[in-house]
């Protein structure tokens, strides 16, 4: 992923938060916590991952359309659609 340092920092922070929350979910299951608590925490992990993914797509849209400098050619409309739907 390319982008300005602030955007990358935001994405990394969200991913680190999700990583920590996921560890918490695993511990909760291992310790026999109740279903409601586990599902609530799992939903928080999912939201954190979604936000990171949306931020990556939002800031990387120009790169996807114009093409990655290392790629042979820009992404097709179908490839872009598949990328966006992967987050849906």
């Amino acid at each position: 992923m390319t982008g300005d340092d602030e955007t990358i920092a935001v994405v990394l922070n969200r991913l680190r938060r999700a990583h920590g929350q996921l560890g918490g979910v695993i511990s909760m299951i291992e310790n026999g916590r109740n279903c409601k608590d586990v599902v609530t925490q799992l939903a928080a992990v999912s939201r954190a991952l979604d936000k990171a993914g949306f931020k990556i797509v939002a800031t990387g849209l120009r790169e996807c359309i114009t093409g990655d400098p290392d790629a042979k050619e820009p992404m097709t409309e179908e490839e872009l659609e598949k990328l966006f739907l992967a987050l849906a």
Side-chain angles (χ1 to χ4, degrees), residues 3-44:
D4 63 83
D5 290 342
E6 183 179 341
T7 300
I8 291 171
V10 168
V11 169
L12 288 173
N13 187 44
R14 287 179 178 166
L15 291 173
R16 286 184 182 108
R17 184 178 308 126
H19 184 261
Q21 290 171 320
L22 184 56
V25 170
I26 292 168
S27 292
M28 292 170 76
I29 293 171
E30 290 173 341
N31 294 325
R33 294 280 298 270
N34 72 47
C35 181
K36 180 181 176 187
D37 292 342
V38 172
V39 170
T40 299
Q41 194 62 24
L42 193 57

